[in-house]
């Protein structure tokens, strides 16, 4: 049903001239097209916004709606921030629809990066990842902020040594109106976006918007396609002395492809031809329809700010998250000789289509999550002092099952969602599962902070945060393990200094701490053919880091710059990877011991003339392991080796132009060599990507309403490269340990950089 609606998008694009003329008659309001806020959200003539003014005592970068509206509307939040310092983005498809993507900051992976939208956490509660294809549509995003190091003390995230990615949604407009975007592009890309603003509702002061988008694109390599339907909505009320309350909702329904990640040998042999099979043959476990990932998610956020009196204010931010999805794969099952955990099944199982007692099936990896929480804080402002005290409570459940579903003679799964009721069962009616566990995660935190204006120019911040993370779970498979329990507490002190040299210059310094509790997957046993394949543990220690930053900012009307030196030291550095256990992909975590990182981030934005902005960013990163790595009863000599996925050099060049009629932008990003093993015996070379955009504002030619035509070119130079590390390993080559044991090598896997894509968009405001 979804696919059938896309030809209508192309028809709507062809009918646009009539739509434009009709809209001018239907639109209400003054001839200038509405209030200033109306114009700003859909595109301001000033292209500045790559380096917004900042005053925080820590490294902060951001992009605003002025920049976002010039980019391809299909890009996800990771791709949008790729130009910023330290942001290393690995995308497997040009449109950002696939879950096969990654973001690292200063060499720290996305399980070390907190993600917020309207103040609500977006990270997976199981192993801390976030999925940018599920976030709000770009047309509704006011700003994306990237904090590369220390984050706000009240941020409801754990494992945020890498920083914080925060999305702020646009507020509903004071006047009623709407926006329609229609896009067509390479690989049969078709997208439609529609938004309606209610304006202020009578005398209530309430205002709201709701938007809907639908997107479809064929896979740029190999067989398959991606679809995405998305709904955003926000209701806002503002009253009195800065009082404000809102509730926002995002619903996402995606059915996307998982692009296969080759080893280096597979890449060298097949290049971009390393894909899933386009046609099904009997027994084929590599057929593309067995690797489609359907997901649905709902995110709710309800931030409230109340001014209680001239000194005291109260903030609360409640949130709710619901999600279900499947990350399947192709495998084979036998009718006999199966195990449920460690228990041998004495009765054969019924496998439709089995030949010789063997059938090709869909291996499901389903996850069902619920998460709810609240951050509440009181702020006392008196004279030169600002005191903050607050609590964060978070409750989540995660039920993960690896089951099996039958497929037809044509290779099409009977149920791609992996529902238990439709999955394969044992002869006595039990769900046949390779993995079946449910985890309850409870996070409790308190924080206090004191900001003191020692002088009109000098501010000192002190803070402390205590965080407790509790995992309670149950392994439903027969075997030596049933219930699991793991609790961890971390004390996180911090301090910062900010000095305003003059009206244009700032210096700052901070010291902060962070921790990452082991993810829930480290707690559980895994079984294969009735034997223990992996032992769950509660002995994996919390990762703990201490970081320092020293920074300088310069801000004036035509030139802005920021330079930050940073240093990290980690204990029990945790690194996420994926291992193949008997054909099933299992999330795993490695303790990499101690690590030291230091470097410099920088960015500048030069505006030589009205409508022109030139942007440069860069990073130098020195990340080294400080300890050897225990493996298989021996020790790999990893001391002094480069940290994985930590390019020494990155730089970006960008710019925007907008003279009120013509506009455009460009973004070039270079990422240096990245190692994929602790032994540094395998790596991928550096590469560069280039995105371009050109467009025209038609307002004033047809009517006064904002109408834009835009052409975006994603990855314009089309380099054939590996863009990042999907699964690390300890060593790629056979290596002798310190004690003389030969430790067998395991090949890492990589993301394949996406191909070039063209996207044409017409945007029309009403």
């Amino acid at each position: 049903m979804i696919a059938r609606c896309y030809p209508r998008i192309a028809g709507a694009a062809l009918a646009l001239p009539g739509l434009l003329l009709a809209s001018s008659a239907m639109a209400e309001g003054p001839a200038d097209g509405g209030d200033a806020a109306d114009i700003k959200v859909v595109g301001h003539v000033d292209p500045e916004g790559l380096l917004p003014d900042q005053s925080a005592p820590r490294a902060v970068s951001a992009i605003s709606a002025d920049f976002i509206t010039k980019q391809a509307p299909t890009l996800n939040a990771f791709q949008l921030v790729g130009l910023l310092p330290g942001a290393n983005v690995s995308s497997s498809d040009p449109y950002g629809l696939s879950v096969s993507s990654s973001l690292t900051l200063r060499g720290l992976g996305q399980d070390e990066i907190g993600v917020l939208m309207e103040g609500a956490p977006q990270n997976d509660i199981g192993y801390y990842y976030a999925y940018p294809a599920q976030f709000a549509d770009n047309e509704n995003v006011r700003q994306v902020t990237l904090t590369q190091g220390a984050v706000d003390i009240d941020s409801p995230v754990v494992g945020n040594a890498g920083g914080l990615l925060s999305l702020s949604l646009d507020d509903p407009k004071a006047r009623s109106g709407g926006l329609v975007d229609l896009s067509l592009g390479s690989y049969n890309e078709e997208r439609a976006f529609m938004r309606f603003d209610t304006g202020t509702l009578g005398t209530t002061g309430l205002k709201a918007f709701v938007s809907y988008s639908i997107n479809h694109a064929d896979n740029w390599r190999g067989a398959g396609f991606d679809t995405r339907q998305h709904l955003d909505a926000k209701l806002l009320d503002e009253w009195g002395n800065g009082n404000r309350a809102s509730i926002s909702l995002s619903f996402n329904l995606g059915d996307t492809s998982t692009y296969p990640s080759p080893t280096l040998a597979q890449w060298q042999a097949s290049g971009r031809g390393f894909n899933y099979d386009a046609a099904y043959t009997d027994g084929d476990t590599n057929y593309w329809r067995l690797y489609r990932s359907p997901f649905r998610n709902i995110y709710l956020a309800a931030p409230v700010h109340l001014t209680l009196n001239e000194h005291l204010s109260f903030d609360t931010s409640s949130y709710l998250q619901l999600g279900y999805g499947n990350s399947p794969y192709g495998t084979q099952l036998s009718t006999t000789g199966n195990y449920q955990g460690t228990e041998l099944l004495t009765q054969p199982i019924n496998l439709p289509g089995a030949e010789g007692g063997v059938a090709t099936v869909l291996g499901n990896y389903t996850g069902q999550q619920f998460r709810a929480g609240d951050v509440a804080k009181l702020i006392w402002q008196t004279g030169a002092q600002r005191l903050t005290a607050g609590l964060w409570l978070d409750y989540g459940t995660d039920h993960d099952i690896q089951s099996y579903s039958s497929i037809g003679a044509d290779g099409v799964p009977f149920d791609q969602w992996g529902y238990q009721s439709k999955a394969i069962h044992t002869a006595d009616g039990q769900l046949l599962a390779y993995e079946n566990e449910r985890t309850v995660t409870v996070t409790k935190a308190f924080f206090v902070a004191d900001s003191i204006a020692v002088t009109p120019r000098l501010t000192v911040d002190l803070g402390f945060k205590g965080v407790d993370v509790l995992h309670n779970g149950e392994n439903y498979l027969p075997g030596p393990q049933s219930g699991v329990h793991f609790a961890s507490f971390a004390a996180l002190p911090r301090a910062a200094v900010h000095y305003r040299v003059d009206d244009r210059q700032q210096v700052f310094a901070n010291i902060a701490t962070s921790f990452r509790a082991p993810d829930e997957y480290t707690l559980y046993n895994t079984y294969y053919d009735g034997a223990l394949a992996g032992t769950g543990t509660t002995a994996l220690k919390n990762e703990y880091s201490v970081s320092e930053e020293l920074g300088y900012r310069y801000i004036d009307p035509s030139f802005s710059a920021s330079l930050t030196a940073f240093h990290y030291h980690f204990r029990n550095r945790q690194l996420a990877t994926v291992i193949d256990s008997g054909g099933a992909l299992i999330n795993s975590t490695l303790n990499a011991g101690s690590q030291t990182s230091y470097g410099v981030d920088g960015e500048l934005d030069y505006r030589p003339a009205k409508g022109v902005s030139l942007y440069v960013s860069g990073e130098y990163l020195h990340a080294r392991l400080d300890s050897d790595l225990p493996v298989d009863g021996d020790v790999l000599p990893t001391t002094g080796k480069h940290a994985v996925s930590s390019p020494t050099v990155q730089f970006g060049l960008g710019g925007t132009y907008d003279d009120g009629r013509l506009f455009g932008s460009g973004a070039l990003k270079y990422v240096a060599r990245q190692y994929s093993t602790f032994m540094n015996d395998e790596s991928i070379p550096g590469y560069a990507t280039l995105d371009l955009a050109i467009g025209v504002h038609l307002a004033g030619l047809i009517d006064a309403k904002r109408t834009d035509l835009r052409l975006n070119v994603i990855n314009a130079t089309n380099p054939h490269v590996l863009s990042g590390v999907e699964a690390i390993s300890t060593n790629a080559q056979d290596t002798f340990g310190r004690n003389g044991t030969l430790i067998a090598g395991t090949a890492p896997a990589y993301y394949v950089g996406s191909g070039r894509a063209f996207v044409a968009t017409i945007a029309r405001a009403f």
Side-chain angles (χ1 to χ4, degrees):
M1 294 297 293
I2 295 174
R4 292 177 184 173
C5 75
Y6 291 110
R8 301 177 189 173
I9 299 176
L14 294 175
L16 191 64
L19 178 65
L20 299 178
L21 295 175
S23 66
S24 63
M26 294 164 53
E28 297 182 1
D32 63 2
D35 56 21
D38 245 348
I39 299 172
K40 182 176 180 180
V41 74
V42 294
H44 196 281
V45 295
D46 184 353
E48 300 172 16
L50 275 171
L51 188 54
D53 294 352
Q54 306 288 350
S55 60
R58 57 187 174 274
V60 181
S61 300
I63 56 174
S64 72
D66 299 311
F67 178 77
I68 294 171
T69 54
K70 293 180 175 63
Q71 311 312 305
T74 61
L75 299 184
N76 63 46
F78 285 1
Q79 292 170 307
L80 287 174
V81 301
L83 196 60
L84 301 181
N88 177 16
V89 180
S90 301
S91 297
S92 292
D93 76 288
Y95 298 126
L97 292 169
S98 173
V99 296
S100 302
S101 64
S102 174
L103 169 68
T104 67
L105 289 176
R106 296 177 177 173
L108 303 175
Q110 64 192 76
D111 59 331
E112 299 267 14
I113 302 168
V115 179
L116 303 178
M117 187 164 66
E118 288 290 278
Q122 307 295 294
N123 300 75
D124 183 293
I125 60 173
Y127 59 113
Y128 309 126
Y129 276 57
Y131 304 99
Q134 300 170 2
F135 300 166
D137 281 320
N138 292 346
E139 291 91 342
N140 299 323
V141 176
R142 181 176 73 250
Q143 187 176 69
V144 182
T145 302
L146 192 67
T147 304
Q148 290 93 341
V151 305
D152 293 326
I153 197 169
D154 60 347
S155 297
V157 293
V158 294
N160 56 279
L164 184 71
L165 178 72
S166 182
L167 289 83
S168 301
L169 295 186
D170 180 41
D171 283 343
K173 303 295 180 292
R175 304 187 64 171
S176 63
L179 176 68
V180 173
D181 281 7
L182 301 175
S183 299
L184 296 172
S186 305
Y187 317 112
N188 292 318
E189 160 66 20
E190 296 176 312
R191 179 181 185 267
F193 169 89
M194 294 150 282
R195 167 171 161 161
F196 172 70
D197 282 83
T198 64
T200 303
L201 299 171
T203 60
T204 65
L206 294 171
K207 49 188 176 180
F209 78 75
V210 61
S211 73
Y212 170 77
S213 70
I214 186 167
N215 197 359
H216 171 277
D218 291 343
N219 286 9
W220 74 273
R221 67 179 177 97
F225 60 91
D226 296 326
T227 64
R228 176 183 186 263
Q229 296 187 74
H230 191 88
L231 176 72
D232 290 325
K234 185 174 182 179
L235 176 67
L236 172 67
D237 191 16
E238 297 175 293
W239 71 97
N241 185 25
N243 295 306
R244 176 184 172 96
S246 68
I247 182 168
S248 61
L249 175 146
S250 281
F251 169 76
N252 193 80
L253 176 62
D255 188 4
T256 60
S257 302
T258 303
Y259 288 88
S261 299
T263 65
L264 189 58
Q266 290 168 332
W267 169 252
Q268 292 170 344
S270 303
R272 291 178 170 180
F274 183 79
N275 297 308
Y276 296 121
D277 297 334
Y280 181 74
T281 56
D282 289 343
D284 186 3
T285 61
N286 199 50
Y287 181 47
W288 69 272
R289 289 189 180 275
L290 305 180
Y291 294 87
R292 296 192 56 73
S293 299
F295 280 86
R296 61 173 178 267
N297 305 82
I298 297 176
Y299 300 96
L300 286 167
V304 176
H305 174 76
L306 300 175
T307 301
L308 303 179
N309 57 45
E310 62 177 320
H311 298 295
L312 186 64
S313 62
F314 175 71
D315 287 274
T316 179
S317 184
S318 301
Y319 55 87
L320 174 69
Q321 182 184 126
L322 299 169
Y324 178 86
N326 190 15
S327 299
Y329 55 92
T331 189
Q332 289 190 322
L333 275 181
S334 300
T335 56
T336 59
N338 294 293
Y339 289 84
Q340 188 85 315
T342 57
E343 182 181 290
L344 177 64
L345 301 179
T346 58
Q347 297 295 318
I349 58 176
N350 179 30
L351 294 179
E355 295 185 5
V358 177
T360 301
V361 298
L362 185 74
N364 303 304
Y365 187 22
T366 64
Q368 183 167 0
Q369 292 196 354
F370 167 86
R371 186 177 188 182
D374 182 79
V375 182
K377 64 181 180 181
L378 281 169
I379 303 169
W380 176 265
Q381 178 78 54
T382 176
Q385 196 165 21
R386 178 185 172 95
L387 292 169
T388 303
L391 297 172
W392 171 36
L393 298 176
D394 184 284
Y395 175 89
T397 62
D398 184 19
H399 193 181
D400 295 303
I401 300 175
Q402 289 205 53
S403 61
Y404 306 95
S405 297
S406 297
I407 65 175
D410 56 358
V412 178
F414 292 163
D415 171 37
Q416 68 169 356
W417 285 91
Y419 293 129
Q420 294 184 43
S421 61
K422 300 180 181 180
I424 294 170
H425 287 66
T426 64
D428 60 358
Q430 298 181 60
L431 177 70
L432 181 65
Y434 180 87
E435 177 183 2
N436 190 348
E437 65 242 3
R438 181 179 183 272
T439 311
V440 175
T441 301
V442 179
T443 304
K444 296 175 287 186
F446 68 91
F447 53 89
V448 291
D450 191 4
S451 180
I452 306 169
V454 180
T455 72
R457 295 184 181 273
L458 176 64
T459 303
V460 177
D461 294 344
L462 300 172
F464 180 86
K465 188 173 187 176
V467 184
D468 179 85
V469 178
L470 171 66
H471 292 309
N472 271 320
E474 186 171 357
N475 190 339
Y476 294 109
L477 295 183
Q481 185 186 58
S482 54
V484 299
H485 176 88
F486 182 74
S488 58
F489 177 82
L492 305 173
R494 59 171 56 201
V497 176
H498 181 272
Y499 182 72
R500 186 167 55 85
V501 179
D502 53 35
D503 291 342
R504 296 182 178 181
Q505 300 181 86
Q506 310 170 27
V507 293
F508 64 86
N510 66 64
I511 180 170
T513 53
S514 181
F515 93 113
R516 181 189 188 276
D519 63 52
E520 64 183 49
Y521 300 102
T522 63
L523 306 176
Y524 291 100
N525 289 348
T526 57
Y527 307 103
Y528 181 67
D529 279 348
L532 195 64
T535 304
T537 178
T538 59
L540 194 64
K541 297 180 180 179
N542 288 338
E543 174 185 289
Y544 195 86
S545 65
V546 180
S547 63
E548 303 89 24
E549 291 182 327
L550 177 63
Y552 169 81
R553 292 192 186 103
Y554 181 88
I555 302 169
D556 77 9
S558 62
F559 180 80
S560 302
S562 176
L563 187 68
T564 304
F566 58 86
H567 176 272
Y568 294 84
H569 180 70
F570 292 87
R571 298 198 309 265
N572 302 305
R573 174 85 165 91
Q574 294 180 21
L575 288 167
T577 188
V578 178
I579 59 175
D580 189 327
S581 178
L585 300 179
I586 301 295
N587 295 292
S588 183
T589 302
L590 301 174
N591 188 331
S594 298
Q595 179 179 319
T596 299
S597 302
Y598 59 82
V600 178
D601 284 334
E603 56 183 335
L604 61 88
D605 189 29
Y606 176 49
R607 300 171 290 277
K610 182 178 179 181
V612 178
S613 176
L614 303 175
Y615 176 83
V616 179
S617 71
E619 178 179 87
Y620 167 76
L621 174 65
H622 177 100
R624 296 292 186 272
L625 304 178
D626 296 334
S627 56
D628 291 342
L629 184 68
V631 176
D632 296 336
D634 206 328
V635 179
L636 279 174
T638 55
T639 299
K641 301 293 186 182
H642 285 259
V644 297
S645 300
S646 300
T648 301
V649 175
Q650 298 183 62
F651 68 81
L653 299 173
T656 58
Y657 172 81
D658 196 328
D659 64 8
R661 181 64 66 199
L662 297 177
F663 66 90
S665 71
L668 170 71
K669 185 64 180 280
Y670 171 77
V671 180
R673 175 182 301 274
Q674 300 178 66
Y675 288 98
S676 53
T677 70
F678 291 90
M679 282 299 298
N680 292 173
D681 54 2
E682 191 167 295
S683 64
I684 57 174
Y687 69 96
T689 59
L690 175 65
D691 294 343
L692 299 171
I694 187 170
V696 57
H697 300 297
L698 298 178
L701 297 180
I702 300 173
D703 57 24
K705 294 294 182 179
R706 178 256 185 173
T707 306
D708 290 343
L709 287 172
R710 183 173 72 251
L711 176 66
N712 292 93
V713 187
I714 305 168
N715 206 14
T717 58
N718 198 26
H720 291 228
V721 297
L722 296 172
S723 62
V725 184
E726 192 267 342
I728 62 174
S729 77
T730 57
N731 53 299
Q733 308 298 323
D734 294 349
T735 305
F736 284 100
R738 297 282 192 191
N739 300 324
T741 303
L742 183 63
I743 300 172
T746 303
Y750 302 95
Y751 296 108
V752 175
S754 65
R756 178 173 50 226
F758 297 86
V759 185
T761 301
I762 184 162
R764 171 67 173 169
F766 299 97

